[in-house]
Amino acid sequence: MTVIEPGLSVRDGFAEGPLADATLSRAARVAQLLDELQEQAPMLTDARLRDGVHRVLRRLTQRQPPAFQVDSYTALIRRGVRIDWHVPDRLPCA
């Protein structure tokens, strides 16, 4: 096991510890929010849908998402393409 910093270690190629757990929890919440947004999409204006996509991506990355990514996801959702956000059981490390 390699300790990266307090609360984060790597074992067998997977992150472990409270920081890894928090990241997985945040990713699971983002998946839930994205599902809810996709269900509401037909009732939302383009601006509200784009804002929702922006908020979801910002929550995941914890920073300003690139405009092209927000626009791309918004266009896919508007066309009815379902975006499935897979959340693994363990957080892989490179």
Side-chain angles (χ1 to χ4, degrees), residues 60-75:
L60 178 69
T61 62
Q62 297 184 330
R63 61 179 53 103
Q64 187 74 12
F68 73 87
Q69 186 179 27
V70 174
D71 292 340
S72 177
Y73 277 39
T74 301

Side-chain angles (χ1 to χ4, degrees), residues 2 6 8-9 13 21 23-24 35 38 42 46 62 65 71 74-75 90:
T2 303
L8 182 64
S9 59
D21 294 342
T23 299
L24 288 172
D35 282 344
Q38 291 179 93
D46 289 342
Q62 297 184 330
D71 292 340
T74 301
R90 296 170 55 188

Side-chain angles (χ1 to χ4, degrees), residues 9-87:
S9 59
V10 176
R11 183 188 324 206
D12 297 327
F14 293 94
E16 295 181 343
L19 294 176
D21 294 342
T23 299
L24 288 172
S25 177
R26 188 171 64 244
R29 180 66 178 139
V30 164
Q32 179 184 10
L33 291 171
L34 188 60
D35 282 344
E36 292 170 5
L37 184 64
Q38 291 179 93
E39 289 174 13
Q40 298 170 359
M43 298 170 280
L44 299 175
T45 65
D46 289 342
R48 287 192 183 260
L49 179 59
R50 187 181 189 288
D51 180 60
V53 169
H54 180 270
R55 283 185 286 112
V56 166
L57 292 175
R58 185 176 179 115
R59 184 174 201 145
L60 178 69
T61 62
Q62 297 184 330
R63 61 179 53 103
Q64 187 74 12
F68 73 87
Q69 186 179 27
V70 174
D71 292 340
S72 177
Y73 277 39
T74 301
L76 288 171
I77 293 170
R78 183 57 76 203
R79 286 195 310 248
V81 175
R82 187 78 181 167
I83 299 171
D84 291 322
W85 200 272
H86 173 72
V87 180

